Amino acid sequence: MTVFIRGRAALVGAVAGATVLATAAVPASAADPAPATVATTGVYGLDFAGGRLVTTELSAAGDRRVYERRVSADATTVGARESRVFAGTYANGAYVRTVPCDNGGCVELLASGHGDVGVVFVDGDDAGTEQVQFWAPGSSFHGGDVKYHVGTAKIVDLTGRAYIVNGGSPAKQRAGMYPSYTNTADDIVRTPGAASVWGTSLWAATTATGALTATDLETKKVVETAATGAPCVIKEVRTVGRWVYWNCGTTGAAGVYDRTAKKSFTVPSGPALVGDGYLVRHDRTAGKLLLTDFHTGKAVAPRAVADLPAGKTADQRRLTWAVDKFGGDIAYLDAAQTLHIVPSGVPAQPLAKIASDIGDPYMDFKGVNGLPAWNSTWQFNKPVSWTYTVKDWTGRTVRTLKGDDGTEADVNWDGLTDAGEYTGNGRHTWTLTATAEDGTGKYTATGTIAVTGGKPGFHDQGYYSNGDLVTLNSSGGLTIQFGQPGGVFDGKKSGSGWPAGTVAVPFYDTGSDRCSELLVRMPGGELRQYAGHCGRSGYTPGGSHTVIGGGWQQYDVLTSPGDLNGDGRADLVARQKSTGDIYFYARVAGGKFAPKTRINTDWRTYAQITGVGDITGDGIPDLLGHDRNGGLWRYNGLGNGRFAPRVKVFTDWGRSYDTMVGVGDLNGDGRNDIVVRDSAGKLFRNNGNGKGSFGARTQIATGWQTYKGIF
């Protein structure tokens, strides 16, 4: 396989099931592509995080704006700049605060690595105050709700959605995660001190010599401690995965605590920024940027990576140079105001998730405002490209989303399929696969989402796509018997007052509420359509309904196989009692049926006929007929309202069956099933195989002889 080692491509070995990383920098050669440079008209502050180069520059109109550019994993190409936030003076007098720098005044920028950038705004509406804002792509920002005295606010650290901000009088330090989809934890408020964030952990110095603690920002519990061996109460902390940099002040002792080895090693002192496995400092005397490689757990001698004159500003971190701590490289600004990207040559740690905020395991399309969404984020230690797929209970992929949001996979699934339709009700499985853009690792996560309020399944009167039955008892109770993924019926909703001879036909949704309707033929021959309830309640004769017409008592079979003619509407099949002829009723707009069409003659040989939806896998609904000698026959739908000649499914399948219903997918395997009742009242399920036939029967209930009708 090929991996990128901070801007250089190298071949490394691979072992099945594992990634093997190079363990030493690869020297440059004439064949290496040149690192990128970017000409500017002036830079007034910069940062580099997650492959995103953030700068304050002059726009074409001459005002200051904060921009972002995407830098490739091999550091050779830089994308066009994209505006993030206006950095001039607003109409209300608000402005982005600046600090002295060699270009006169620079904006202190802190990039998150996933596309946001933090700045300090001086208020225009509330004199004497300022606020910290984290600007996202577009014109939105997080934060700004905490007011500080002007000149006191400072963004100490920012990693993805986790931040540390000092400010106020008396000064306080606030550490937290700005609200995501489910995370709303309050900030940790403490006395300012050395601190850094990585993932969901706040790494902070204690009052004890050399001691650090890591506190989870969500639970507020200490999750790790470190005795670094520092000879002081630590003054500065910078955390990058395995590595925790510390110092005793910019001129004091400095080291890196190795979280794996549980010990520190010494690194050069001076104002430094930390990357993944290395640190960079500006030697103003030598006019160089010096890199110290410590990725092996031991610091090697510093080496120069760029010429950078001393300048007038003592500490030029994020003013003229910056380091991408997310497995990235170094950026610096030369005297001609040209930006340079410098590969570090240091191998990064393997891809790892450092934080996540995962949505609920359920989604209701009929929830708040009818606008459901499954929103989740994963924060990684380096830039990734990602793919998110959703499969329904049948194993069919219904949605695929892709992104390359820097170090974050930000997934927003609206519950629709790739075709823009509602997905079906039922259990869905999602999978996220993130691949490191530098080629060093892959991450996979999976889970389930229970979807309700979506597209109903065949013979589905409830809220999941498992098929349901409708039963009528001798007391006039019409009951929805809810199918369960285990292939049984459990739970019910009933309505009373139905006369003997009532015939129910579970139908499909004819409106826009995604609740399957129920057709009912009254004993006198009137055919009614009852608005679907999605399983919330049963049906009563006086419930909301429309009358389709009369004269339907001439039929002894009424069944709906589904959409037989391909127009997107479910249709009806009826057998005339006197002749046994089969008629097709096409559903049309306005809640009516087109005039009947005779499609077969004299089907009186069948004791039961039922629509079963698609049981052959061709997407067209089918019919089954159970003859009086016990044979089971299949009629494949042709998609034009007619059926192909019959095909025998079983010989002498079951002479004792007095009821057969195409119940849809009862057991949740994605294939339509049937249920039968024998003369003793036992109920059986036959699982469909998706190829036009069925498996052996399974008894699922007894005592069903009490029902006068099963539909």
Side-chain angles (χ1 to χ4, degrees):
M1 63 180 294
T2 301
V3 297
F4 286 104
I5 303 180
R6 289 306 195 332
R8 309 232 198 301
L11 292 177
V12 299
V15 177
T19 301
V20 180
L21 301 180
T23 56
V26 176
S29 71
D32 286 327
T37 59
V38 180
T40 75
T41 56
V43 173
Y44 306 89
L46 64 93
D47 198 12
F48 195 15
R52 297 168 183 256
L53 181 61
V54 180
T55 60
T56 302
E57 300 177 49
L58 296 178
S59 71
D63 54 21
R64 288 190 181 187
R65 301 192 72 87
V66 177
Y67 293 98
E68 176 190 288
R69 295 176 176 89
R70 299 290 294 270
V71 180
S72 63
D74 62 1
T76 62
T77 59
V78 178
R81 71 180 189 179
E82 300 176 9
S83 179
R84 280 294 173 266
V85 57
F86 177 65
T89 302
Y90 287 75
N92 66 351
Y95 61 91
V96 178
R97 198 183 68 193
T98 60
V99 297
C101 68
D102 284 12
N103 277 351
C106 291
V107 176
E108 289 184 296
L109 301 172
L110 213 62
S112 69
H114 78 300
D116 290 8
V117 57
V119 294
V120 177
F121 262 88
V122 176
D123 258 323
D125 298 322
D126 190 359
T129 66
E130 60 190 11
Q131 55 187 268
V132 173
Q133 296 178 352
F134 305 105
W135 282 81
S139 299
S140 62
F141 67 87
H142 303 274
D145 52 335
V146 179
K147 304 286 187 177
Y148 301 95
H149 295 291
V150 166
T152 65
K154 181 177 179 59
I155 307 173
V156 177
D157 201 8
L158 180 61
T159 300
R161 300 173 186 266
Y163 59 83
I164 304 173
V165 175
N166 288 349
S169 180
K172 293 292 183 182
Q173 185 172 87
R174 307 179 72 91
M177 301 183 73
Y178 49 85
S180 186
Y181 300 118
T182 63
N183 170 51
T184 56
D186 294 332
D187 288 351
I188 294 175
V189 181
R190 60 192 294 270
T191 301
S196 178
V197 281
W198 185 256
T200 61
S201 293
L202 166 66
W203 283 87
T206 72
T207 56
T209 299
L212 294 171
T213 60
T215 302
D216 186 87
L217 292 169
E218 296 174 338
T219 66
K220 310 297 189 292
K221 294 180 179 180
V222 174
V223 293
E224 192 172 345
T225 60
T228 67
C232 63
V233 173
I234 293 171
K235 306 300 182 185
E236 184 178 349
V237 178
R238 298 184 186 277
T239 310
V240 181
R242 173 181 172 181
W243 316 108
V244 184
Y245 166 85
W246 56 264
N247 70 36
C248 296
T250 55
T251 60
V256 173
Y257 178 76
D258 182 344
R259 294 173 59 197
T260 300
K262 306 295 184 185
K263 62 181 181 180
S264 287
F265 50 86
T266 301
V267 295
S269 60
L273 290 175
V274 179
D276 186 357
Y278 68 97
L279 66 84
V280 177
R281 58 194 176 88
H282 184 195
D283 187 331
R284 297 180 67 216
T285 301
K288 305 283 185 182
L289 282 179
L290 301 179
L291 182 148
T292 299
D293 181 348
F294 55 74
H295 81 276
T296 63
K298 181 180 180 181
V300 301
R303 57 181 170 85
V305 292
D307 293 325
L308 187 63
K312 302 174 184 177
T313 308
D315 186 352
Q316 296 180 39
R317 289 177 291 182
R318 298 193 176 95
L319 300 178
T320 61
W321 65 279
V323 170
D324 185 350
K325 66 184 178 181
F326 295 96
D329 305 305
I330 303 124
Y332 75 94
L333 182 70
D334 68 15
Q337 300 297 294
T338 297
L339 288 164
H340 298 260
I341 309 299
V342 182
S344 71
V346 179
Q349 297 171 83
L351 180 67
K353 181 200 79 173
I354 61 175
S356 60
D357 182 12
I358 299 176
D360 294 325
Y362 53 84
M363 175 185 288
D364 181 5
F365 276 101
K366 298 180 180 178
V368 179
N369 298 324
L371 296 173
W374 191 84
N375 303 316
S376 297
T377 63
W378 288 262
Q379 177 71 39
F380 297 97
N381 64 332
K382 62 176 69 176
V384 298
S385 58
W386 55 267
T387 300
Y388 172 83
T389 58
V390 185
K391 294 183 178 181
D392 65 16
W393 61 99
T394 72
R396 177 175 61 100
T397 298
V398 297
R399 192 65 183 270
T400 300
L401 301 172
K402 296 178 181 290
D404 55 353
D405 303 329
T407 62
E408 182 181 68
D410 188 15
V411 177
N412 310 114
W413 180 44
D414 55 10
L416 301 182
T417 67
D418 286 326
E421 302 173 344
Y422 289 101
T423 189
N425 296 322
R427 181 178 179 271
H428 288 59
T429 301
W430 59 262
T431 300
L432 175 84
T433 301
T435 303
E437 289 188 356
D438 67 359
T440 57
K442 182 175 288 188
Y443 170 87
T444 300
T446 189
T448 60
I449 307 172
V451 175
T452 59
K455 184 178 180 180
F458 177 71
H459 223 267
D460 173 18
Q461 285 286 312
Y463 38 83
Y464 253 35
S465 290
N466 299 97
D468 307 314
L469 285 181
V470 178
T471 58
L472 177 70
N473 65 23
S474 58
S475 300
L478 195 68
T479 300
I480 305 169
Q481 310 277 353
F482 296 122
Q484 302 297 327
V488 297
F489 297 98
D490 186 19
K492 59 185 68 176
K493 292 289 184 180
S494 299
S496 60
W498 294 93
T502 296
V503 173
V505 183
F507 207 62
Y508 200 63
D509 174 35
T510 62
S512 59
D513 64 357
R514 300 177 302 285
C515 288
S516 294
E517 328 299 359
L518 185 70
L519 302 184
V520 177
R521 197 224 14 228
M522 303 302 288
E526 183 179 80
L527 186 63
R528 300 176 178 180
Q529 178 176 299
Y530 284 81
H533 296 169
C534 277
R536 294 186 298 270
S537 62
Y539 296 92
T540 58
S544 175
H545 69 275
T546 58
V547 176
I548 294 173
W552 290 78
Q553 72 274 21
Q554 64 182 296
Y555 301 118
D556 62 357
V557 171
L558 287 174
T559 185
S560 177
D563 176 15
L564 289 170
N565 60 1
D567 65 356
R569 302 184 182 97
D571 305 309
L572 198 60
V573 170
R575 183 177 68 178
Q576 193 168 51
K577 188 186 310 181
S578 60
T579 65
D581 293 346
I582 298 295
Y583 291 92
F584 166 63
Y585 282 89
R587 185 77 179 197
V588 294
K592 301 293 184 179
F593 289 96
K596 66 184 180 181
T597 300
R598 186 168 62 183
I599 56 175
N600 285 100
T601 58
D602 198 2
W603 276 24
R604 285 175 290 189
T605 184
Y606 297 116
Q608 292 97 33
I609 298 170
T610 185
V612 288
D614 173 28
I615 60 171
T616 60
D618 63 0
I620 303 172
D622 308 306
L623 272 178
L624 287 179
H626 180 211
D627 70 31
R628 301 183 192 280
N629 294 318
L632 185 66
W633 302 84
R634 185 183 75 242
Y635 287 84
N636 295 345
L638 296 176
N640 59 1
R642 294 181 177 274
F643 297 91
R646 69 181 187 175
V647 175
K648 181 171 283 189
V649 181
F650 295 116
T651 300
D652 198 17
W653 177 56
R655 295 171 187 256
S656 65
Y657 299 146
D658 60 19
T659 301
M660 176 178 68
V661 179
V663 72
D665 180 16
L666 179 56
N667 66 349
D669 66 356
R671 296 183 287 267
N672 287 344
D673 311 313
I674 56 176
V675 294
V676 291
R677 179 185 67 178
D678 69 12
S679 56
K682 295 177 182 177
L683 196 69
F684 299 91
R685 183 190 75 246
N686 287 82
N687 295 340
N689 65 5
K691 300 176 183 179
S693 190
F694 301 88
R697 71 181 189 178
T698 300
Q699 184 176 319
I700 56 176
T702 59
W704 279 55
Q705 70 273 13
T706 60
Y707 296 119
K708 302 305 179 182
I710 301 176
F711 315 103

